Structures are given as C-alpha cells and as structure tokens.
Amino acid sequence: MLRCIIRLAETRANPLDPIYMQVFDSSTLPRALKRQDLYCDLAIAGGGISGVCAAISAARAGIKVVLVQDRPVLGGNASSEVRLWILGASSHLGNNNRWARESGIIGEILVENMHNNPEGNPVLVDALLLDLVLRESNITLLLNTAIDQVSKDAERISSMRGFCPQNSTEYVISAPLFCDASGDGILGFLSGAAFRMGAEKKEEFDEGLAPPPEYGELLGHSLYFYSRDTGRPVQFSAPAFALDDITKIPRFRKFNTQDNGCKLWWLEYGGRIDTVHDTETIKMELWKIVYGIWDYIKNSGNFPEAETMTLEWVGMIPGKRESRRFEGDYMLTQRDIVEQRQHPDFVSYGGWAIDLHRADGVYSEQSACNQYHAKAVYGIPYRCMYSRNINNLFLAGRIISASHVAFGSTRVMATCGHNGQAVGIAAAMCIKEGILPRALARGDALALLQRELVRKGQYIPGYRLEDEDDIARAARLVPTSEYALSALPADGPLLPLEYPIAQMLPLQAGKVPAVTLQVSAKKDSELTLSLRISTKADTHTPEIILSERKVSLHKGENSIYVDFDANLEKAQYAFVCLHANADVAVKSSLILVSGLTLTHHKFNPAVAVSACQQAPEGSGVDSFEFWCPARRPAAQNLAFTLSRPVRVFSASNLTNGLQRPIAQPNAWVAALEDERPTLMLCWKEARCPRKIVLVFDNDLDHPMESVLMGHPEHDMPFCVQQYRVLDGTGRVLVSESGNHHSLREHSLPEGLSCKSLLVELTRPAPNVPASLFEVRVYE
Ligand SMILES: Cc1cc2nc3c(=O)[nH]c(=O)nc-3n(C[C@H](O)[C@H](O)[C@H](O)COP(=O)(O)OP(=O)(O)OC[C@H]3O[C@@H](n4cnc5c(N)ncnc54)[C@H](O)[C@@H]3O)c2cc1C
C-alpha cells in the first residue's frame, strides 16, 4: 500500500499537482520510509564552510556532488544558527601575516558577502551560501538530512545513508569518493577511520603547548545571544532553569551590555565531557548560563542601560569547537606551524594563532583562552586531508589530520574553507584519473593538483605557478605605464606617534634609498628611526634591525632626510620604523598602492595580550613584536620621498607565477596619472586564445569578517571595477563594470585568432592607481 502512494506521488507530472485521497488500512506488515537512491562522484557529509567550499570547487571542476547537511541552512558555525564570523590567516588584522586573507572559493564568499552585506547580517550569509550552492548544476543539495549509516566494501565506503524528517525520506548515496566535513566526523567514525579525541602528550610531537590535565584536553561548545535596544522599558523574568548565582561565572564583573554574538566567544562549556555525545547536555547548560547572564544584566540593577533592551535571539544549537580529529598520512603539529616547516605537498595554508581554551570554559577562574601566533603563515600538506585507513575518504574542516595543538590554529573557518577547496579539486582529479586520494600525494599527480589549485585562486606558501599552458608567458607585455615609487604626497592627516609605526617598502637587493618624511613636533625633540627586515624574505615580522638613526626636530614642521646607509641582500619588504614620541606626528598620504602599507606596533586585544608576544618558557613558540596595519578605511601610507624611485611594479610581475604580495608586491601597477592603462600582450605568431584569466587586488589584508563586525565599504578600493579585453583589431571581447572579485575568468569568442590582446583597465579612484596581479591566457 505504501509503495502505491509513492508511485502515485512520483508519477505526477507536476509535484504540485494534488494527490487524491487514499485510505490506508491498519497493517501488520512493517512499513518502510520512502527511499531515494542517489549516485554521484563525490558525496559530502556536512554543509559547513568546509563542505560548501569542497562541494563548489568539485562541482566547478566538473564532477557530480551530493552535499548533505543536517541543518536547514548551510554554513555550520558561520550560519545564522550559530553566528560565528569567518576568520582565517589575517586574524582580525592582529598578527604579522600580511596580505594573508584566503582566496579561491572562500575568498569569493567573503568578497561577495562584503559587497552585499557589509553590515554582517547573519541571515544574508545563509542566503549567500545557499545561492552559491544552488547555482552549481553539479550539486544535489539535501538540507535537513542527517547521515547516520555507512556501507563499506573492504576499506572503502560504498554508500552513506541519510534521513530527512522534513520529507520523511531516506537517502542512500553511493559514490566512489566521500568527504567528511561534518565537524564531528560522522563518516569517518562510522567507517572505522583512525581518529583521536583529546590532546596528545608533549612528547609525542615535541609540542610545548600540549596542555596539562588541569588546563584540559578539549575545547568546549559555545552558544551566543543578540540583544537589542527597543527604546522603551522592557521587563524580563528569567525561566526557572536559568543560572541564579551569577558569581559561579568568574567573569561576571566584566559583563558588558554591548557584547553580542561572537564577542561572547567565552560563553563556553563542555571541554571536560564528551563533546560528541554530551552535546545536548552541554547545550542545556549553555542555555542556563545565557538566561542567567541576561537575568543578571536585566534585573541586578548594575546595568541601568539595559532597561530598554530585549533579548532578540539566542542560539538554538551550540557552536562546536572540537571533538574528533582524524588521522591522515601526516599529522600537522605545533612545530610545523611555529617554524613554518616545509613539506612538498602543501595545498593550503593557515595563519590563525594556536588558540587553545581552558576546558572549564565559563566556569574557569583563569583567562578563557591562550593565543600564540607564528611569525608567518604556514603550509598545510595534502596528506592531512584524507584518512590514512579508509581509502576513499577525504577529510575537511576541523577534523583534518592535526594534533590538538595544531588544530588550535587550523580550526578557523577561512582555513577550513581553503582546505575544502583543495579537497574538492583533488576529488575531481581522482575521478578524472580513476585514482584514490592517496595517489595524488606525490610526484606528477601532486604537481598537477597544486597547479590546478593555484589556477583556481588557491594560495600555497612557497609555490610559484609554472603553467606551460599559459600563453601569456610567451607574450611580450607592453603596458602604457608602470608605477615608479618615488614619492607619496603629504595629503593625508597627521598621525601622532603614540606608538611606533612602520612604512613597509618593497625594495630590491642593493642599497636602501634614503627617505624624506614630513613630521610635526609640539616642541624641540628627537625622533628615532630604524630600518628593519624579516629573517625570511617572504615573511613580514620585522625582527632584524639593519640600522638606526636619531633625528633632531625643532618645534613646528620638519622635513627629515634619513639615509640608513644599509644594503639588502635580497628583494624583500623593509620596514621604515618611526619610534613612539608623544610630541611628534607624521604626515600621511591618501594614495593607496597595491602592495604598500603602513603598520603599527600595537596589538589587537581580540587576538593578543600585548604588542610583543611573550613566549612562556618551554612553550616552543616565538617571542616577537606585532606590526599590523590599521583596519579599513584608516589603513594608509606615510607621505615620503625616496632618494631614487623603486621600480617593483612592472608588467613582468603579471607572469611571475605569484598572485599576491609576498616578498614583493607581485603586481603590475600603472602610473597614478594613467586613468585607462592598457596592457598589450603580443605574440610573434597568431594564436587562438580561448580563455583569459585576470587576478585583481582585493586588499588581502582586510579580514572581511562575515558577521557582526560590519565594514565601512562594499568593495575594496584597490579592485579594478571596470575593464575590457580587446583583440588586435579593436574588437571588444570582454567588457566588465562593477567588478569586485579578484579572480575573473572569461571565455573568448570561438574561432578567435590574433597576434595581440589588449587588457584595458580603469583606474579605481583618483588616489588609487590601477593594478593587476596576474594575467593568464589559454588556447
Ligand atoms: C564558539 C566558537 C567560536 C569560534 N570562533 C571562530 C571564529 O571567530 N572564526 C572562525 O573562523 N572560526 C571560529 N571557530 C571555529 C570554527 O567555527 C569551526 O572550527 C569550524 O566551523 C569548523 O568547520 P567545519 O566545516 O568542520 O564544521 P561546522 O562549521 O561545524 O560544519 C559542519 C556541518 O556539518 C553538519 N553535520 C554534522 N553532522 C552531520 C551529519 N551526521 N549529517 C549531515 N550533516 C552533519 C553540522 O550541522 C554542521 O552544519 C569557533 C568555534 C566555536 C564553536
């Protein structure tokens, strides 16, 4: 009988056509759920940021994906159900990882969210993720569907089963490849993949940050609330289950009625119990805490400003930080992060601090978390992204193969998303070649994976794209102009030297040019300046002092000329540091140039406790100073004149295989006065280009937090919004306006044959010269 109604439902031409009434007599036969069998190339469990990025990248690479998410919305902890802001290597701009924001699919998500939702409305993040997934015809999305079974064939998963209570349907999804992006690792757990839970002992990986038992071995869950001022008195009577003794939360003296959402990250509990199976218990405790805090805020009398406030939203499910971590062929460790150890199979990177939390969470007397930054971003090997014993299982998100300490850094969502892209593209390559994940971990296959990833916008530390298929490399590049950095006008505000600041200058090997600065002194004074560089040319912690100068200032305006008399052995950024002086301010410039920035030696309390990271004895982390840019739109440059122009913005950067500033800006920047700069690509023989790829500057320093923080702009000022591509006859092949993305791929008309292509940019603003990181052309 049941079968009958299913058939009836399935034969309707239009699913919205009515089903005429059927009568089902009582039955002694067991009834079965409606079942749907699905087949795909890659089946993904979990639609958090890692699952979404894996699904989109795999789908765009041409394979069929089923993405199964147990919640009504995508995004996991980034969704409106939990409301965490997506963060990654740029770490709220609070560390020395310059131009480190993640690119590829997660970059696209952040940029699009910034464009449409700079206010950080979490509901719009849900809509954006859903929109991006629904646009991919290769993805079948199952929402509200929880995976709860797997079938195996030897050491491979053959299918996974999910149940959707909304439509009372059981799904059986068969695929040659699976990806576990479920946070708790449902596929890995059920299939028998090797995993760990809790912290490794210090000895296992020589990790000084391995926590002692009193600190605890697991990070707990958190649950947030949003409050709102209604403008009229609002009463609140707490539910009986609310915590009634607020002093049980040692932090109660620091409560602040303005804190909402992710700023309540310290509302944490559960690190001493089973963060998989005790989740409902943990959630009840967190609700108890939330309502107890709100009761205290509303009814203790200590917060008169809360009189008109109401509790607008309380999380329904907790954000989960940590549970299972699965073992791949390699486990990332603290030393990989701190020392930026090299591995040949890097496919991604991280850069968030090693951010560990006390297991007692909100009930701890001590500070809730400890964050230790590395001096630079670190690579993540591909071998961390598949199970070592389940042969067709990829790992994505917080469950990748990392020690507890390393997980403290890899767990943030932009890192998870960037890793997810690596998994998606690896899966597509496995399908194309008929191989399993491990086969891509070395040799030519690995080289192809890395190349494909970087082509799609992935950043891999230390990797330079050598793309033999790219005919732009064989072209003569003729730009109308190239920016020469010789002076920035003093048209910006005076910056008081309350703390040290440093202008980062991209210099080539050889003598460092002398610098002239405009400073204003309240009285006769002395200013100390130093020239610093990083130990490694591709990092940006200015730890080596090459030279120091003291300059006498008289009261009023001073033009100071500083010759550091220093040489650089290799091309890298040099930091011209002005030491703090309460009587002195320095003139800034409004000109913004790709790959040029001013840093401040101070700290962001969200991610650090002082401007100098102090490594505890035996911790294995480094002590060093933070030098970070200001947040947009305050980020700027000093006004200065150099004794000779620095010419590092040439068009040859467009084919150097690097797509962001690293040791050098790696950008072609046109002259500021060039309002419509063009780049001619000329070949000796006629070529048949089919596709052109352009990579624009989207300010890879700005962290673009996805919710709550709010951003002053929709688009980044460096990004060229309007551009065209023309052939040698002047025919317009591509014409774009309103661009706000970094990576743009354009198909060119069929049958095109030409000896030259012209890329024409429009200067983004009168104070921002047009720039481009890369041009690639494929036949
Ligand atoms: C309170 C808190 C604060 C944090 N702060 C930040 C921060 O500020 N910025 C940041 O970037 N990161 C932060 N993190 C870390 C980050 O949120 C997580 O590490 C990250 O979300 C992990 O990504 P994921 O895709 O692995 O998992 P998730 O985001 O958890 O996504 C996994 C998804 O899979 C679904 N799922 C689970 N089981 C199944 C199943 N059986 N079937 C189908 N679907 C399933 C889940 O519902 C979930 O939606 C924080 C975490 C917490 C908890």
Side-chain angles (χ1 to χ4, degrees):
M1 200 53 146
L2 179 83
R3 294 271 165 230
C4 149
I5 196 162
I6 287 170
R7 258 205 314 278
L8 191 68
E10 284 169 354
T11 52
R12 284 173 299 152
N14 180 347
L16 297 179
D17 287 349
I19 293 178
Y20 296 105
M21 194 194 76
Q22 303 281 302
V23 175
F24 295 87
D25 282 337
S26 60
S27 169
T28 50
L29 294 174
R31 286 177 175 160
L33 294 168
K34 176 182 172 183
R35 170 175 162 149
Q36 200 172 340
D37 289 288
L38 297 170
Y39 302 88
C40 61
D41 297 314
L42 174 67
I44 302 178
I49 289 296
S50 57
V52 165
C53 290
I56 294 175
S57 49
R60 289 186 186 171
I63 64 171
K64 298 279 179 205
V65 178
V66 174
L67 174 63
V68 185
Q69 162 72 336
D70 63 354
R71 308 298 310 166
V73 288
L74 292 166
N77 285 353
S79 72
S80 65
E81 291 196 310
V82 183
R83 306 194 176 192
L84 283 164
W85 45 36
I86 299 171
L87 281 168
S90 37
S91 185
H92 280 313
L93 260 190
N95 64 15
N96 294 343
N97 300 340
R98 287 293 58 72
W99 299 291
R101 200 183 62 244
E102 292 71 11
S103 39
I105 306 284
I106 184 65
E108 186 181 326
I109 290 170
L110 292 171
V111 167
E112 196 56 31
N113 187 54
M114 176 94 179
H115 180 69
N116 287 317
N117 180 25
E119 300 80 18
N121 177 346
V123 173
L124 297 183
V125 175
D126 293 348
L128 169 64
L129 296 176
L130 184 63
D131 190 31
L132 286 174
V133 165
L134 293 181
R135 279 166 193 257
E136 299 302 328
S137 56
N138 278 340
I139 300 180
T140 301
L141 173 64
L142 303 180
L143 290 174
N144 290 313
T145 303
I147 298 300
D148 61 359
Q149 278 177 29
V150 299
S151 300
K152 271 174 70 183
D153 184 2
E155 289 319 306
R156 290 188 197 187
I157 303 174
S158 48
S159 67
M160 62 184 192
R161 183 202 104 115
F163 173 62
C164 174
Q166 293 295 314
N167 60 9
S168 201
T169 300
E170 173 192 27
Y171 295 93
V172 177
I173 302 138
S174 305
L177 293 173
F178 290 80
C179 169
D180 193 332
S182 66
D184 281 346
I186 187 73
L187 286 185
F189 178 75
L190 293 174
S191 64
F195 75 93
R196 298 174 174 211
M197 199 158 157
E200 286 77 12
K201 298 262 171 305
K202 175 181 187 302
E203 297 70 41
E204 181 169 3
F205 297 121
D206 189 17
E207 294 180 308
L209 290 178
E214 60 276 16
Y215 194 95
E217 297 196 4
L218 278 175
L219 281 65
H221 299 355
S222 286
L223 197 134
Y224 297 155
F225 62 84
Y226 274 34
S227 55
R228 182 170 58 90
D229 195 336
T230 64
R232 309 181 267 172
V234 176
Q235 285 190 350
F236 173 72
S237 39
F241 65 80
L243 182 75
D244 55 5
D245 177 6
I246 202 68
T247 62
K248 288 193 177 145
I249 299 177
R251 199 184 171 112
F252 79 97
R253 286 189 197 84
K254 294 191 200 157
F255 288 169
N256 171 355
T257 52
Q258 299 311 306
D259 282 352
N260 270 322
C262 353
K263 291 195 177 156
L264 301 164
W265 60 269
W266 49 270
L267 273 178
E268 178 169 356
Y269 177 74
R272 294 271 179 213
I273 50 181
D274 180 342
T275 52
V276 176
H277 299 104
D278 293 332
T279 283
E280 285 293 300
T281 310
I282 296 171
K283 181 194 67 185
M284 286 308 303
E285 186 67 21
L286 287 167
W287 273 343
K288 176 176 142 185
I289 293 166
V290 164
Y291 284 99
I293 289 177
W294 191 245
D295 185 29
Y296 178 67
I297 286 178
K298 286 293 289 183
N299 299 324
S300 65
N302 294 338
F303 302 90
E305 72 277 20
E307 164 84 10
T308 50
M309 291 176 85
T310 189
L311 196 54
E312 183 163 73
W313 170 85
V314 175
M316 293 293 123
I317 52 166
K320 292 188 178 192
R321 285 190 180 81
E322 181 178 15
S323 53
R324 303 179 180 117
R325 292 172 288 109
F326 286 81
E327 293 183 12
D329 277 351
Y330 184 75
M331 286 195 85
L332 195 79
T333 70
Q334 174 181 334
R335 297 193 62 176
D336 290 315
I337 292 176
V338 173
E339 299 165 26
Q340 294 105 54
R341 285 184 169 183
Q342 296 301 308
H343 294 279
D345 60 324
F346 283 161
V347 289
S348 184
Y349 72 102
W352 185 255
I354 295 175
D355 181 352
L356 299 176
H357 294 209
R358 280 177 202 277
D360 293 324
V362 74
Y363 294 127
S364 171
E365 296 282 347
Q366 315 284 325
S367 68
C369 83
N370 296 90
Q371 294 180 317
Y372 290 105
H373 297 261
K375 288 181 185 169
V377 300
Y378 57 89
I380 304 181
Y382 173 63
R383 285 165 296 153
C384 301
M385 299 183 193
Y386 57 85
S387 161
R388 72 168 168 77
N389 66 312
I390 299 298
N391 295 328
N392 61 347
L393 179 61
F394 283 106
L395 308 169
R398 64 179 163 88
I399 65 168
I400 64 163
S401 181
S403 70
H404 167 77
V405 174
F407 150 90
S409 171
T410 59
R411 65 193 180 89
V412 285
M413 288 182 277
T415 307
C416 291
H418 203 254
N419 295 345
Q421 163 145 320
V423 165
I425 291 187
M429 289 180 64
C430 285
I431 294 295
K432 244 176 247 166
E433 301 299 323
I435 55 179
L436 290 168
R438 178 172 287 121
L440 287 178
R442 57 187 63 82
D444 291 347
L446 172 68
L448 288 177
L449 171 61
Q450 290 170 323
R451 187 186 75 175
E452 200 50 32
L453 279 166
V454 175
R455 280 178 171 177
K456 295 295 174 205
Q458 191 91 344
Y459 174 57
I460 301 177
Y463 181 87
R464 200 182 270 269
L465 182 62
E466 302 287 348
D467 194 340
E468 316 84 56
D469 302 335
D470 170 16
I471 62 168
R473 291 167 165 254
R476 193 160 54 88
L477 303 181
V478 186
T480 46
S481 67
E482 290 177 337
Y483 189 83
L485 178 62
S486 52
L488 295 185
D491 54 359
L494 273 170
L495 305 178
L497 291 179
E498 293 160 5
Y499 40 79
I501 60 174
Q503 176 67 46
M504 288 176 70
L505 292 179
L507 300 180
Q508 289 183 317
K511 170 108 170 69
V512 173
V515 186
T516 304
L517 298 162
Q518 309 302 322
V519 297
S520 172
K522 287 187 203 154
K523 58 181 188 190
D524 290 355
S525 184
E526 189 178 66
L527 180 65
T528 307
L529 297 100
S530 54
L531 184 77
R532 301 185 183 201
I533 55 168
S534 313
T535 318
K536 298 177 190 166
D538 54 359
T539 65
H540 307 109
T541 294
E543 53 207 330
I544 300 175
I545 301 177
L546 289 182
S547 168
E548 194 167 282
R549 294 281 181 270
K550 289 191 189 307
V551 182
S552 297
L553 304 176
H554 57 77
K555 183 180 173 192
E557 307 307 308
N558 296 255
S559 176
I560 57 170
Y561 173 85
V562 188
D563 185 353
F564 289 105
D565 194 18
N567 278 290
L568 292 189
E569 284 172 15
K570 47 198 176 207
Q572 69 181 120
Y573 277 89
F575 291 66
V576 176
C577 307
L578 283 68
H579 295 209
N581 184 330
D583 296 319
V584 178
V586 59
K587 271 277 187 187
S588 66
S589 178
L590 297 179
I591 305 294
L592 298 174
V593 182
S594 292
L596 209 60
T597 193
L598 177 69
T599 59
H600 304 247
H601 176 37
K602 59 176 191 173
F603 72 103
N604 178 349
V607 294
V609 291
S610 77
C612 300
Q613 173 165 295
Q614 300 296 342
E617 181 80 26
S619 63
V621 293
D622 291 319
S623 297
F624 62 94
E625 297 176 352
F626 295 114
W627 291 79
C628 324
R631 278 189 81 83
R632 300 218 48 75
Q636 55 204 150
N637 291 297
L638 291 186
F640 59 81
T641 304
L642 300 178
S643 56
R644 59 162 203 287
V646 169
R647 299 184 191 279
V648 293
F649 299 98
S650 75
S652 61
N653 289 331
L654 293 169
T655 50
N656 74 359
L658 301 171
Q659 303 79 18
R660 60 174 63 205
I662 309 169
Q664 295 282 277
N666 298 314
W668 165 50
V669 181
L672 183 60
E673 52 281 3
D674 199 348
E675 287 181 37
R676 287 187 88 103
T678 59
L679 173 81
M680 179 90 82
L681 295 100
C682 312
W683 292 276
K684 288 193 180 122
E685 313 290 333
R687 309 297 303 235
C688 304
R690 295 277 166 274
K691 184 165 87 169
I692 185 163
V693 181
L694 302 168
V695 182
F696 296 100
D697 184 357
N698 247 325
D699 190 355
L700 290 156
D701 253 340
H702 186 61
M704 295 192 178
E705 294 87 350
S706 49
V707 292
L708 196 73
M709 177 75 89
H711 301 276
E713 298 150 316
H714 287 265
D715 301 321
M716 294 292 96
F718 302 95
C719 193
V720 170
Q721 299 193 350
Q722 215 176 318
Y723 62 90
R724 301 196 304 172
V725 179
L726 301 90
D727 69 7
T729 67
R731 178 163 63 128
V732 178
L733 309 174
V734 175
S735 179
E736 279 288 322
S737 56
N739 173 54
H740 49 277
H741 280 287
S742 176
L743 180 76
R744 298 301 312 265
E745 293 190 1
H746 296 284
S747 298
L748 298 174
E750 277 208 19
L752 177 67
S753 168
C754 55
K755 285 179 82 174
S756 65
L757 281 177
L758 193 74
V759 178
E760 181 188 88
L761 310 180
T762 301
R763 186 177 67 184
N767 65 327
V768 188
S771 66
L772 190 62
F773 284 131
E774 187 165 71
V775 59
R776 283 183 272 129
V777 180
Y778 297 99
E779 286 188 306

